[in-house]
Amino acid sequence: MTEGAKIEGFEKVMANLHKEVARIEGITVGGLQLAATKIRVDMDRTEPLIPVDKGNLRASWFVSSFRTLKGPGVVMGFSANYAAWVHEMVGAHFRKKGAGAKFFEASIKRNEKAVLEIIRNNAKIR
């Protein structure tokens, strides 16, 4: 999201997810991308939804895959320069019904078990 924005709680949620993902053997890029897709779709279907004014924030979603010596990984998020600011607007009244702050964090928390299952189901057995 945006550099310099104070994002509270997100690091802890991601650290918990990373810890569980690290326990899965044979992770594939495809499984990680499917898991990211699950999170993205959920943000459009389950409250708090991604706030929408003109649609730029929603359209700025990205998933980028990479490989290291430890294995594959993905980076996902929103590239709009105000994404973190909107994400942290707790108490704000958004135009879109059901939209709210912490939409990304809430989706990751809500879908942790499903995401881990997707990654496991798409892992290669070594």
Side-chain angles (χ1 to χ4, degrees):
M1 292 210 240
T2 304
E3 189 176 317
K6 185 172 182 178
I7 302 173
E8 296 184 17
F10 193 78
E11 282 187 28
K12 184 177 180 182
V13 170
M14 290 306 296
N16 290 339
L17 183 59
H18 286 149
K19 186 172 86 175
E20 294 300 319
V21 169
R23 295 180 180 165
I24 301 171
E25 290 187 41
I27 292 174
T28 63
V29 170
L32 293 172
Q33 289 174 334
L34 287 171
T37 299
K38 168 72 175 160
I39 291 167
R40 175 61 180 86
V41 168
D42 179 73
M43 287 186 285
D44 272 338
R45 295 185 178 165
T46 311
E47 294 182 14
L49 304 171
I50 302 168
V52 176
D53 187 2
K54 299 196 185 284
N56 184 58
L57 177 60
R58 286 181 73 249
S60 75
W61 172 258
F62 71 92
V63 177
S64 180
S65 58
F66 60 89
R67 288 194 172 279
T68 67
L69 294 175
K70 293 182 179 183
V74 296
V75 175
M76 61 183 168
F78 296 88
S79 62
N81 63 354
Y82 55 88
W85 181 73
V86 173
H87 185 265
E88 296 299 308
M89 290 178 64
V90 176
H93 298 284
F94 295 100
R95 292 181 190 180
K96 181 179 181 179
K97 184 180 180 195
K102 302 288 191 174
F103 50 92
F104 193 18
E105 182 179 327
S107 183
I108 293 168
K109 282 182 185 177
R110 193 171 42 243
N111 290 289
E112 183 174 3
K113 288 180 183 175
V115 162
L116 293 171
E117 184 177 332
I118 289 167
I119 295 168
R120 277 188 204 99
N121 289 342
N122 287 278
K124 288 191 278 185
I125 298 173
R126 295 180 183 189

